[in-house]
Amino acid sequence: MSANGSTMRQLLWQDPVCSGWKQDLEGAVYHLANCFLLLGFMGGSGVYGCFYLFGFLGTGYVCCVMWGWFDACGLDIILWSFLLATACLFQLAYLVYRLRKNTLPEEFDLLYKTLCLPLQVPLQVYKEIVHCCEEQVFTLATEQTYAVEGETPINRLSLLLSGRVRVSQDGQFLHYIFPYQFMDSPEWESLQPSEEGVFQVTLTAETACSYISWPRKSLHLLLTKERYISRLFSALLGYDISEKLYALNDKLFAKFGLRFDIRLPSLYHVLGPAAPDTGPESEKDDEEVRESAMPTSAQQTPPRSPLPAASGPPAPPTRARMSRPDSGVLEVHDFTSYFPQSGFPGKVATGRGP
């Protein structure tokens, strides 16, 4: 203990034990190495900060190896500098691997920034969703059909990435589907996981389109397993169906010439079809019913003399109620057979001109 104590006192309080100081400075490689090390230790955090840090540190230690080999001629300097430079290079390789692993294809990266990033969806959760569709992007040529009414089975859920799709039923145009909208969200919501069905509309590509598709069974398994993803898809699908409802508002013509998408039968309860007018006979019957409902005392009361006019301004005359224009024949079709056990009501109102 006394020997160790004397050594510490000698190092702290006495002159250094160097036999002599070098009069010449080290070579330029030594100073260059220290400059790189100084820049490296000024690096920040994050992935790119780590690239900066280990890049400059690795370069500085390589310069130390060169200095130990050419100027210092010390084996220990060469070995330590080589080990530290190798560690920095391995760390850089690991960072490159992480970046390549986390990088998404261009279409999926744009989809994340457009659809999921505004909702603050974590990137790892988004990767699980992308993995479910196997990172495949499908294409449709112009006038190529995605689904044919009454023939194509409902076995997937697709999202349009680019292009425009036309939705029609019995050759009649209904609405368009634009990028980043689901192509078959009503069909997805109309069936239970254990049910099967076919499309009741035809989807045709008006331009060259690209889309991604999730198999029905795989997506149901993912939604059952991950509650957060299930809530996310519920919100996205609900918003998408509401957008289709707003698009169908353009189909409300004058005189109740209505054209509805049979994939959205709940419009029947939203709009509520009015009973058609039955002509003057029904109006006469209504008047008779109102007269019969009046009390007999009111009918036998003799007319009274008119009251004196009030000093104030006269009351405005009551306006006669305008009769509703003839709306033609308003029919209610039952589409329960299209949605056998779905939660949607099974009736849709359609209009037909006079």
Side-chain angles (χ1 to χ4, degrees), residues 177-190:
I177 298 176
F178 296 100
Y180 304 110
Q181 289 184 345
F182 288 98
M183 300 174 66
D184 39 16
S185 54
E187 286 79 8
W188 175 270
E189 291 291 338
S190 65

Side-chain angles (χ1 to χ4, degrees), residues 26 33 80 102 148 155 164 210:
E26 297 294 340
W80 276 109
N102 294 334
V148 179
N155 56 7
R164 186 174 64 182
S210 62

Side-chain angles (χ1 to χ4, degrees), residues 37 57-69 74-90:
L37 293 176
L57 288 182
T59 307
Y61 289 128
V62 169
C63 292
C64 288
V65 171
M66 298 173 60
W67 169 70
W69 182 271
L75 183 61
D76 53 349
I77 298 175
I78 296 175
L79 291 178
W80 276 109
S81 300
F82 178 77
L83 289 176
L84 293 173
T86 304
C88 292
L89 292 177
F90 273 115

Side-chain angles (χ1 to χ4, degrees), residues 30 40 48 55 71 76 124-125 127 142 169 181 199 203 210 212 220 288 294 312 322 325 336 352:
Y30 174 79
Y48 296 102
D71 295 336
D76 53 349
Q124 294 299 327
V125 175
K127 288 181 180 179
T142 305
Q169 195 267 335
Q181 289 184 345
F199 279 81
L203 279 71
S210 62
I212 59 176
H220 270 302
E288 293 178 356
M294 295 177 60
M322 299 294 293
T336 308
R352 191 171 59 189

